[in-house]
């Protein structure tokens, strides 16, 4: 990886009375704060977006980007006691907004999930958002609608008939459709807010999105607030850059006057009050390799070679599309690798599915606790024992002693401090943290050699997080090879002995020892633009494969 | 979350050691839980008492009891046939026509002078094949089970017409079948024993074996079940095949009891069967589709219908009562889970 630039002095955003007098201001917000229980998501944030300007908004996970977007869309209300002021298109606007209001004002959103209806055509999707031209008795004038859609599609550079069903489109084409909807909006767009529209796109296709954004700016004169994780996009597309860190504006930069290193340094912050990094305590714990992957490629993953060791907690950092989840699925037999080998305790294995992976001593707790990990309608006991049914002597028709199950599960419930402590509650009655403790118990009773956890603490409060972490430390101390896939860098830096940094399907860096702070992880993730060539190749493959699939 | 306040016994060993019932009594068994568990039986009892008081001359009599006891086994087997796919998360709407088809096809085979054993073998094999086709459509082609079984059931209804020409088939029915469905042992017709035996077997498999647990898990959370190494595809397929076996039995019992195969017999079994499963899921093992709840609900439906008919209400009461029971059962389960969710949030 590239050497870390020395951290420059933090540049303060220009603030004060000048904000609302900015010429051509579309959106001006001052003193915006948002507090969630136990957490300050936004802290006196100022933001100014001008007409015809693409304003980049960057920041690490948890820096407050999505909270800011959600306040604009009317999903959250800001803290009232902070008395924020908001000016939109020349008029003062009272916060909180409602979704209807923000639409009426002229704000349009392209969220990461795009909000398209896959089974409808491009033209119909455009009509749903931008309004259908109607005739007598509110009949849709389909011919006019098609002509309109054709025009919109052409302007965003999409060479498709407007009657194409959205399902058949590639990921980048879907993004373009979402953008064309904004372009055709009859009520007039003042501000377009794009929330990581390129997160799932390969490098080569990002430019198509940028071209469409420029078309919007040129065609409607609207301002654009562009949220992204990709630093290179800021320089390709944006004129102003607001960097959020820990809910505060860390810097307001003009793209023409800054560089990648500066932006990364602002995202990451100063190397001060490092927390959790205790290199001394971490060393010498890891034993021999349990699971080794050699050049594994599968869908998103490209050429991943890693080693998971006995007694060690390894971490995998990266965004949702970085391939770390896919890698976890490969290890559990859910995704078949297209090439490469998997060695378990030195022997090559082929995992045809979860059952084989479980038999081989691998466990996976998937990211979606509610749907993939647990069955809410079944009891705590039934959820836990589900993973041990294959151990019952006598096969599929052996008598299950419910009394014995209760005893076993009660011990697990006690061990993992699940509350409430009963075994017969339906799992859906438990809080997220307790639900996860049950899942830890469910898999830990199998004493897995390799324990993979995908986002094990997302959405949990501090106490529940700590409980999960201590359970994982215990698992490692008992000799398991633990792999934690997480987009929470703080968690990784506090918990892991070693962190693999995933980007665009490849492991671009491996951090260990003293290089394990949150800043180190973020720097490795954001600051490695130069290694992009090879890894982005992988995600281009992904793009074409997705196209073939869909 | 208010579960903590419900007085959970903190010592798990005490909980596990409260005796024989601990296996199926929930910990901290309150009157509310008992009421939920046995509410259906209480309701059944109340209905019996009410009709007995209202119709003292006709309702609480041997004839009523005999009529109910002899007519119910086929209906309960039909409910079992619906129950197994339901547990695995699938609807089988072809149960009614499947039952009717078995009935007329068997009678048609007998009318063509085939031996009893051969006819039996043929209807069983054909039944299993129909179940396998249903399972294949749903699991391997990925069709919605509602649509798939509606389609296959409709085809069966056509085959029923083909084999009967709309006539009642009653010729040459084997004495063996009549004996098997009409003989009384200690005053109870044999099919009641079949219900008990198959019910016990199903209860054992569904509630006390890894196979049954995996089926419940598949029905309640197919993705989570798959991610726990369960072959959910195979189980869903299997549930249709097992279900087909059960409606074959139902069809045969019905033919033997009536002594004839009616072309229009099938559909009238479908809705009561679903009503019994859903109402059964509110009792015995609440919120789970379960064997004994289904049996109790099935009896409740027939007792209610019989009572109303004796009170002089015409035939229209049967579908009306059954439909109301189905809606009520589903409403209860929806409402209690909403209420619970509110209580515990």
């Amino acid at each position: 990886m590239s050497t870390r630039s020395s951290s420059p002095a933090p540049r303060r955003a220009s603030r004060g009375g000048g904000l609302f007098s900015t010429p051509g201001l579309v959106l001006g917000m001052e003193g915006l704060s948002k507090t969630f229980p136990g957490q300050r998501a936004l802290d006196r944030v100022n933001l100014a977006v001008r007409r015809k300007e693409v304003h980049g908004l960057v920041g690490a996970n948890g820096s407050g980007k999505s909270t800011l977007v959600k306040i604009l869309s009317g999903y959250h209300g800001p803290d009232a006691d902070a008395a924020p002021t908001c000016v939109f298109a020349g008029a003062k606007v009272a916060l909180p907004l409602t979704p209807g209001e923000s639409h009426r004002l002229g704000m349009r959103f392209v969220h990461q999930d795009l909000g398209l209806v896959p089974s409808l055509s491009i033209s119909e999707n455009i009509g749903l958002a931008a309004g259908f031209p109607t005739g007598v008795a509110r009949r849709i004038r389909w011919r006019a609608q098609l002509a309109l859609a054709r025009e919109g599609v052409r302007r965003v550079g999409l060479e498709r008939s407007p009657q194409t069903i959205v399902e058949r489109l590639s990921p980048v084409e879907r993004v373009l459709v979402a953008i064309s909807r904004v372009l055709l909006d009859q009520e007039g767009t003042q501000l377009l807010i794009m929330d990581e529209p390129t997160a799932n796109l390969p490098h080569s296709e990002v430019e198509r999105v940028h071209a469409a954004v420029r078309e919007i700016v040129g065609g409607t004169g609207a301002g654009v607030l562009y949220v992204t994780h990709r630093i290179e996009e800021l320089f390709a597309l944006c004129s102003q850059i607001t960097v959020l860190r820990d809910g505060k504006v860390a810097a307001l930069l003009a793209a023409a006057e800054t560089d990648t290193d500066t932006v990364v340094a602002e995202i990451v912050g100063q190397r001060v009050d490092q927390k959790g990094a205790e290199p001394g305590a971490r060393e010498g714990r890891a034993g021999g390799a349990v699971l080794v992957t050699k050049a594994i490629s599968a869908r998103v993953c490209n050429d991943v070679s890693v080693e998971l060791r006995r007694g060690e907690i390894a971490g995998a950092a990266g965004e949702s599309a970085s391939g770390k989840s896919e890698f976890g699925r490969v290890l559990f037999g859910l995704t078949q690798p297209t090439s490469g080998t998997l060695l378990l305790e030195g022997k090559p294995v082929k995992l045809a599915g979860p059952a084989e992976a479980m038999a081989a001593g691998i466990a996976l707790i998937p990211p979606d606790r509610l749907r993939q990990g647990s069955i809410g309608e079944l009891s705590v006991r039934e959820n836990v024992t589900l993973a041990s049914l294959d151990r019952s002597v006598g096969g599929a028709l052996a008598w299950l002693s419910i009394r014995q199950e209760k005893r076993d599960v009660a011990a697990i419930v006690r061990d993992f401090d699940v509350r409430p402590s009963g075994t017969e509650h339906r799992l859906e009655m438990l809080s997220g943290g307790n639900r996860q403790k049950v899942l830890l118990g469910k898999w830990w009773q199998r004493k897995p050699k390799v324990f993979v956890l995908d986002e094990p603490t997302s959405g949990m409060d501090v106490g529940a997080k700590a409980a999960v972490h201590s359970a994982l430390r215990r698992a490692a101390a008992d000799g398991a090879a633990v792999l934690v896939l997480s987009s929470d860098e703080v968690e990784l830096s506090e918990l892991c002995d070693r962190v693999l940094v995933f980007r665009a399907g490849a492991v671009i860096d491996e951090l260990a020892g003293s290089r394990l702070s949150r800043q180190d992880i973020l720097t490795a993730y954001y600051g490695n633009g130069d290694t992009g060539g090879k890894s982005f190749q992988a995600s281009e493959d992904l793009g074409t494969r997705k196209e073939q699939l869909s | 979350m208010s579960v903590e306040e419900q007085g959970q016994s903190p010592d798990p060993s005490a909980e596990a050691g409260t005796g024989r019932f601990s296996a199926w009594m929930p910990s901290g068994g309150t009157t509310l839980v008992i009421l939920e568990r046995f509410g259906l039986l209480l309701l059944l009892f109340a209905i019996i008492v009410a009709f007995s008081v209202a119709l003292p001359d006709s309702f609480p009599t041997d004839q009523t009891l005999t009529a109910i006891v002899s007519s119910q086994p086929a209906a309960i087997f039909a409910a079992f046939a619906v129950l197994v796919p339901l547990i695995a998360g699938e609807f089988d709407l072809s149960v009614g026509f499947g039952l009717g088809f078995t009935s007329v096809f068997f009678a048609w085979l007998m009318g063509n002078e085939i031996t009893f054993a051969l006819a039996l073998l043929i209807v069983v094999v054909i039944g299993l094949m129909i179940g396998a086709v249903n399972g294949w459509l749903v699991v391997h082609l990925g069709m919605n089970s509602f649509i798939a079984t509606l389609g296959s059931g409709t085809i069966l209804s056509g085959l029923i017409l083909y084999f009967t020409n709309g006539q009642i088939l009653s010729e040459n029915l084997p004495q063996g079948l009549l004996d098997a469905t009409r003989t009384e042992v200690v005053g109870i017709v044999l099919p009641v024993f079949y219900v008990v035996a198959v019910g016990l077997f199903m209860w054992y498999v569904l509630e006390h074996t890894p196979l049954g647990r995996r089926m419940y898990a598949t029905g309640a959370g197919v993705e989570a079940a798959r991610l726990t190494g369960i072959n959910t595809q195979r189980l869903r397929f299997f549930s249709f095949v097992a279900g087909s076996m059960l409606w074959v039995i139902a069809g045969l019992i019905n033919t033997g009891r009536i002594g004839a195969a009616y072309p229009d017999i099938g559909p009238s079994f479908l809705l009561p069967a679903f009503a019994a499963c859903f109402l059964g899921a509110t009792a015995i093992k609440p919120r789970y589709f379960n064997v004994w709840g289904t049996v109790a609900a099935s009896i409740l439906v027939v007792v209610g219908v019989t009572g109303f008919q004796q009170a002089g209400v015409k035939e229209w009461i049967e579908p009306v009562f059954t439909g109301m029971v189905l809606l009520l059962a589903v409403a209860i389960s929806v409402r209690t889970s909403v209420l619970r969710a509110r209580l515990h949030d």
Side-chain angles (χ1 to χ4, degrees):
Chain A
M1 66 171 275
S2 68
T3 49
R4 211 176 159 282
S5 68
S6 61
S7 303
R11 277 181 223 180
R12 287 286 130 215
S14 62
R15 54 173 69 186
L19 185 73
F20 291 141
S21 55
T22 315
L25 187 76
V26 174
L27 172 73
M29 291 207 286
E30 220 170 29
L32 192 67
S33 296
K34 175 70 190 173
T35 311
F36 293 112
Q39 189 206 350
R40 189 116 204 224
L42 289 177
D43 188 1
R44 286 161 290 157
V45 166
N46 298 343
L47 183 70
V49 183
R50 282 176 294 188
R51 282 174 61 78
K52 298 192 175 230
E53 170 189 85
V54 182
H55 192 116
L57 183 64
V58 284
N61 290 307
S63 63
K65 296 187 310 281
S66 11
T67 309
L68 182 60
V69 170
K70 282 177 179 165
I71 285 176
L72 290 174
S73 69
Y75 184 84
H76 288 316
D79 294 350
D81 51 0
T85 46
C86 177
V87 170
F88 194 84
K92 211 158 176 205
V93 175
L95 298 171
L97 293 162
T98 65
E101 256 177 304
S102 77
H103 188 90
R104 204 164 45 246
L105 286 169
M107 291 191 212
R108 298 294 179 269
F109 293 82
V110 174
H111 291 291
Q112 202 177 330
D113 66 7
L114 302 178
L116 299 175
V117 184
S119 58
L120 296 183
S121 70
I122 295 177
S123 162
E124 286 162 329
N125 268 289
I126 289 174
L128 283 177
F132 289 102
T134 52
V136 181
R138 309 209 58 156
R139 183 188 71 89
I140 296 174
R141 290 163 52 219
W142 284 112
R143 202 166 305 160
Q145 169 63 18
L146 271 181
L148 206 64
R150 192 169 293 121
E151 168 69 6
V153 164
R154 191 189 57 75
R155 280 173 66 187
V156 295
L158 182 60
E159 284 150 14
R160 287 280 195 173
S161 153
Q163 280 161 312
T164 314
I165 303 299
V166 165
E167 242 162 12
R168 305 229 180 91
L169 300 180
S170 72
V172 67
E173 289 175 323
R174 294 182 194 200
V175 176
L176 294 178
V177 171
I179 295 174
S180 74
R181 300 201 299 187
V182 177
L183 197 61
L184 293 175
D185 201 312
Q186 291 157 337
E187 291 159 49
T189 303
Q190 298 281 346
L191 177 66
L192 171 61
I193 294 132
M194 306 186 74
D195 194 358
E196 297 192 47
T198 53
N200 299 312
L201 298 183
H203 192 56
S204 62
E205 289 175 347
V206 167
E207 179 48 41
R208 294 183 72 183
V209 175
H210 291 178
V213 172
R214 288 190 200 103
E215 176 67 28
I216 295 261
V217 172
T220 65
V224 177
L225 184 63
Y226 195 91
V227 183
T228 184
H229 269 294
R230 294 184 165 176
I231 308 296
E232 71 272 15
E233 279 197 300
L234 298 171
F235 296 101
L237 185 65
C238 305
S239 50
Q240 296 284 310
I241 303 165
T242 292
V243 182
L244 287 181
R245 189 200 320 136
D246 302 329
K248 295 190 182 75
V249 174
L252 175 62
L253 305 163
E257 295 160 17
T258 186
D259 54 25
T260 305
D261 286 346
T262 311
V263 174
V264 171
E266 292 293 357
I267 293 173
V268 172
Q270 295 302 98
R271 273 180 164 277
V272 286
D273 52 59
Q274 262 198 38
K275 213 178 135 208
E278 304 149 44
R282 290 161 186 263
E283 273 159 26
R285 227 166 59 183
V290 181
L291 186 97
V292 177
T293 69
K294 288 198 169 149
I296 288 272
S297 295
R299 284 164 63 179
V300 195
C301 295
N302 184 47
D303 201 12
V304 177
S305 300
V306 301
E307 206 180 280
L308 302 180
R309 296 162 197 147
R310 192 169 287 113
E312 181 195 55
I313 303 180
E319 290 309 315
S320 54
S322 65
K324 66 183 195 317
S325 272
E326 197 63 51
F327 182 63
R329 293 172 63 85
V330 169
L331 297 186
F332 199 56
L334 288 165
T335 299
Q336 295 307 315
T338 49
S339 66
T341 42
L342 211 68
L343 299 172
L344 188 66
E345 295 179 318
K347 287 188 270 310
V349 284
K350 241 185 117 49
L351 304 171
E356 285 80 2
M358 285 166 66
I362 300 167
L364 169 75
I365 295 191
D368 183 348
R369 280 195 287 280
L370 297 186
R371 221 175 50 80
Q372 302 177 313
S374 60
I375 303 176
E377 288 177 35
L378 297 187
S379 68
V380 171
R381 169 175 56 82
E382 287 160 326
N383 270 282
V384 170
T385 54
L386 207 54
S388 61
L389 291 177
D390 60 333
R391 306 232 156 140
S392 71
V393 191
L397 288 177
W399 172 267
L400 289 176
S401 163
I402 289 175
R403 221 194 302 182
Q404 181 62 41
E405 283 191 344
K406 282 191 174 183
R407 216 171 295 140
D408 295 346
V409 175
I412 288 170
V413 159
R414 193 163 8 124
D415 247 28
F416 285 84
D417 191 27
V418 178
R419 287 178 210 176
S421 63
T423 61
E424 302 306 302
H425 301 293
R426 293 221 279 182
L427 194 66
E428 64 195 3
M429 311 236 170
L430 272 56
S431 67
N434 281 299
R435 217 164 156 152
Q436 188 73 323
K437 288 183 203 164
V438 170
L439 295 186
L440 283 170
K442 166 183 168 181
W443 289 103
W444 186 240
Q445 65 176 337
R446 296 182 62 87
K447 295 276 172 268
K449 294 174 198 149
V450 180
F451 202 172
V452 184
L453 301 99
D454 199 345
E455 305 290 353
T457 61
S458 66
M460 283 187 193
D461 62 49
V462 183
K465 246 180 200 176
V468 170
H469 288 175
S470 81
L472 292 181
R473 287 198 186 93
R474 203 155 46 118
D478 278 3
V482 180
L483 175 64
V484 176
L485 317 169
S486 175
S487 42
D488 179 351
E489 293 83 14
V490 179
E491 164 165 75
L492 292 171
S493 80
E494 285 176 5
L495 181 65
C496 299
D497 305 305
R498 191 158 56 95
V499 172
L500 311 158
V501 182
F502 277 77
R503 198 169 74 175
V507 176
I508 57 166
D509 207 343
E510 189 174 323
L511 308 172
S514 58
R515 285 175 65 221
L516 260 178
S517 71
R518 169 170 179 260
Q519 283 85 350
D520 292 319
I521 297 169
L522 286 172
T523 308
Y525 182 76
Y526 285 105
N528 271 1
D530 50 331
T531 60
K534 187 187 166 201
S535 41
F536 278 127
Q537 191 61 45
S539 74
E540 271 162 44
D541 290 349
L542 161 71
T544 49
R545 257 185 226 124
K546 264 192 187 159
E547 253 181 285
Q548 286 159 5
L549 283 174
S550 58
Chain B
M1 268 216 332
S2 63
V3 185
E4 280 153 280
E5 282 104 62
Q6 280 190 359
Q8 277 303 305
S9 76
D11 180 5
S13 63
E15 192 181 291
T18 44
R20 201 164 58 83
F21 285 132
S22 65
W24 58 295
M25 287 296 287
S27 50
T30 60
T31 42
L32 200 71
V33 173
I34 292 170
L35 200 67
E36 187 177 16
R37 187 171 289 262
F38 298 108
L40 194 63
L41 292 178
L42 287 176
L43 184 63
L44 176 59
F45 185 69
I47 291 176
I48 293 172
V49 169
F51 279 121
S52 301
V53 171
L55 309 162
D57 299 327
S58 63
F59 191 80
T61 59
D62 279 357
Q63 289 94 317
T64 304
L65 187 66
T66 311
I68 289 175
V69 164
S70 64
S71 71
Q72 260 336 72
I76 292 176
F77 269 102
F80 284 171
V82 168
L83 178 70
V84 176
L86 264 187
I87 286 171
E90 305 293 346
F91 282 85
D92 187 353
L93 299 185
S94 68
V95 164
F97 287 121
L99 186 159
F101 172 76
T102 303
S103 181
V104 300
F105 185 50
F106 178 80
W108 180 84
L109 287 171
M110 291 311 299
N112 284 283
E113 321 234 315
I114 295 180
T115 64
F116 178 33
L118 185 60
L120 206 58
L121 182 70
I122 292 174
V123 292
V124 166
V125 170
I126 297 285
L128 290 174
M129 280 168 62
I130 294 167
V133 168
N134 280 337
W136 181 75
L137 291 173
V138 172
V139 176
H140 298 283
L141 286 192
M143 287 171 75
N144 181 308
S145 62
F146 228 87
I147 306 299
T149 57
L150 193 64
S152 62
T154 307
I155 292 172
L156 290 176
S157 76
L159 294 178
I160 290 171
L161 285 178
Y162 173 80
F163 285 112
T164 60
N165 281 320
Q167 306 296 307
I168 298 164
L169 307 180
S170 59
E171 277 179 40
N172 200 23
L173 283 181
Q175 193 57 42
L177 183 68
L178 302 181
D179 288 346
T181 51
R182 293 174 176 184
T183 307
E184 291 186 8
V185 175
V186 291
I188 301 167
V189 288
L190 279 178
V192 173
F193 294 98
Y194 308 156
V195 167
V196 172
V198 172
L200 275 170
F201 177 71
M202 285 174 64
W203 168 79
Y204 168 75
V205 172
L206 291 170
E207 295 186 22
H208 283 283
T209 68
L211 175 65
R213 193 68 63 74
R214 290 185 180 122
M215 285 185 66
Y216 275 108
T218 301
V222 68
E223 182 65 3
R226 192 174 73 89
L227 292 180
T228 312
I230 294 171
N231 191 337
T232 54
Q233 301 242 1
R234 196 164 64 196
L235 286 178
R236 287 160 65 216
F237 180 84
F238 164 78
S239 76
F240 282 105
V241 176
S244 72
M245 200 65 262
L246 292 161
W247 56 247
V248 165
I249 297 174
L252 290 171
I253 291 176
N254 196 56
T255 309
R257 186 182 72 85
I258 300 173
Y262 284 71
D264 57 353
I265 196 74
S268 64
F269 278 91
L270 184 65
L271 199 71
F274 272 96
C277 289
F278 278 97
L279 186 60
T282 64
I284 312 295
K285 198 181 176 204
R287 296 183 304 277
Y288 293 78
F289 292 113
N290 68 86
V291 174
W292 303 126
T294 301
V295 172
S298 191
I299 293 170
L300 185 139
V301 171
V302 76
V303 167
V305 169
T306 309
F308 279 118
Q309 282 173 347
Q310 288 187 3
V313 187
K314 293 272 170 357
E315 277 174 16
W316 58 264
I317 191 65
E318 183 169 346
V320 169
F321 184 72
T322 310
M324 279 168 51
V325 165
L326 178 62
L327 293 179
L328 183 75
V330 177
I332 288 172
S333 57
V334 171
R335 289 311 298 172
T336 48
S337 54
V338 170
L339 277 179
R340 263 161 211 284
R342 278 205 202 125
L343 273 176
H344 294 291
D345 271 349

